[in-house]
Amino acid sequence: MRGMYTAGALDVFLKEGVHFQGVMGVSAGALFGVNFLSGQAGRVIRYCKKYNPDHHYMGLGVLLHTGEFVNRHFAYDKVPRELDPFDDQAFQASGVPFYAVVTNLDTGNAEYLPIHSVFAEMDVLRASGSMPFFAQPVPWQGRRYLDGGVADSIPYEAMGRLGYDRRVVILTRDLEYRKKPMPQAAVRAMYGKYPVFCQRLLNRHTVYNASVARLAALEKAGEIFVLRPSQPITVHRLERDPAALQAVYDLGVKDARARLAALKDYLSK
């Protein structure tokens, strides 16, 4: 739910007419980012505030009954198709390539899968946002996937390999944040039968912190534009309090507006 920051920033971009030739999302960034290409400003904060507190949507009860903290049928079917419809036609009509980052459970590698239709490829988006320990692996085309953030939390290098030379990165951690190691015993107990994936989790803090350092160097050189929280975001990753969600969203709006002129200058070069 730190992704509420991203949702706020993207809504500012939408309202200000800031467009991109390609978009890549990881975890919540993938789940919320598709609304940018469908042009549905305000949808993410609206449905999260309304349904996150609903015990049918997410919570310990759902986890105990299904092995997943988020009810997949409610979150990935009922909400986008009925309760707060996602405009898949507009998404497709945007003509902008969208990629969701997932982590292959067997190889431990990141994969960058194109999303042509949100409804047709909803399981790819679900896989990108399926956090270890809180979700079951998601099968897709004969493979099993979990959260893309395990293998590549900030895929600016992947976008560079695709040929994008002006890259805008939205982070949900402030400048001072550094990731810490995960408990080895818990990781090995849960994912020991997937040795490469297990090692990815155990090394994630090292890889993430190194990625942040490289990103900072590129930002300083003016090669990448980075939008990050101006203050630490303290909400729980599965936050259910509507007021807390709104506060993170509002911070994203505030920071995006403060950097809007600099962003437009960067993109115009």
Side-chain angles (χ1 to χ4, degrees):
M1 287 302 131
R2 292 192 312 273
M4 286 297 109
Y5 182 86
T6 304
L10 291 179
D11 282 355
V12 170
F13 294 170
L14 267 177
K15 293 173 183 177
E16 294 293 335
V18 178
H19 301 291
F20 301 95
Q21 293 177 309
V23 180
M24 184 175 286
V26 187
S27 197
L31 295 171
F32 299 159
V34 293
N35 295 273
F36 179 70
L37 296 188
S38 69
Q40 292 176 277
R43 180 174 179 269
V44 171
I45 184 63
R46 181 176 64 241
Y47 78 73
C48 284
K49 284 176 65 178
K50 184 172 183 178
Y51 297 113
N52 277 24
D54 190 325
H55 70 278
H56 295 101
Y57 185 75
M58 61 191 294
L60 291 176
V62 176
L63 180 65
L64 290 172
H65 282 92
T66 67
E68 300 187 295
F69 196 87
V70 177
N71 183 327
R72 71 175 71 170
H73 300 296
F74 195 100
Y76 298 103
D77 187 38
K78 194 172 183 64
V79 169
R81 290 183 183 273
E82 300 176 25
L83 300 179
D84 197 323
F86 176 78
D87 192 343
D88 198 32
Q89 280 191 320
F91 174 87
Q92 295 178 54
S94 73
V96 178
F98 187 97
Y99 304 88
V101 186
V102 294
T103 301
N104 187 307
L105 199 61
D106 296 302
T107 68
N109 293 329
E111 296 182 20
Y112 311 91
L113 304 183
I115 304 295
H116 306 289
S117 161
V118 166
F119 288 139
E121 290 145 342
M122 184 67 81
D123 279 349
V124 175
L125 294 168
R126 182 165 68 87
S128 185
S130 291
M131 294 187 301
F133 300 102
F134 290 95
Q136 298 295 322
V138 179
W140 179 255
Q141 296 184 345
R143 299 179 179 88
R144 293 168 295 178
Y145 296 104
L146 278 173
D147 193 330
V150 173
D152 193 352
S153 295
I154 318 171
Y156 59 92
E157 292 173 326
M159 286 297 274
R161 291 193 294 270
L162 288 171
Y164 296 96
D165 58 356
R166 309 301 290 175
R167 289 163 287 172
V168 176
V169 178
I170 304 178
L171 302 178
T172 60
R173 293 292 195 182
D174 61 281
L175 186 61
E176 303 302 320
Y177 176 79
R178 295 296 181 271
K179 196 174 289 293
K180 297 178 181 178
M182 299 182 71
Q184 288 198 27
V187 171
R188 295 189 188 284
M190 190 73 177
Y191 296 106
K193 60 181 178 179
Y194 305 107
V196 184
F197 181 83
C198 184
Q199 199 59 45
R200 280 281 191 187
L201 277 176
L202 293 174
N203 293 337
R204 188 184 177 195
H205 64 291
T206 302
V207 174
Y208 175 90
N209 294 338
S211 178
V212 168
R214 292 195 302 274
L215 179 63
L218 290 170
E219 180 187 15
K220 186 176 181 180
E223 296 183 30
I224 285 184
F225 186 95
V226 181
L227 180 67
R228 56 170 62 81
S230 55
Q231 62 190 61
I233 293 177
T234 57
V235 295
H236 190 272
R237 64 183 61 190
L238 293 165
E239 182 66 60
R240 303 178 70 183
D241 177 18
L245 297 174
Q246 184 69 55
V248 177
Y249 175 88
D250 290 344
L251 181 63
V253 170
K254 173 188 170 187
D255 288 352
R257 291 203 177 281
R259 300 286 312 283
L260 193 60
L263 171 61
K264 289 182 177 180
D265 180 63
Y266 168 80
L267 292 175
S268 69
K269 291 180 180 178

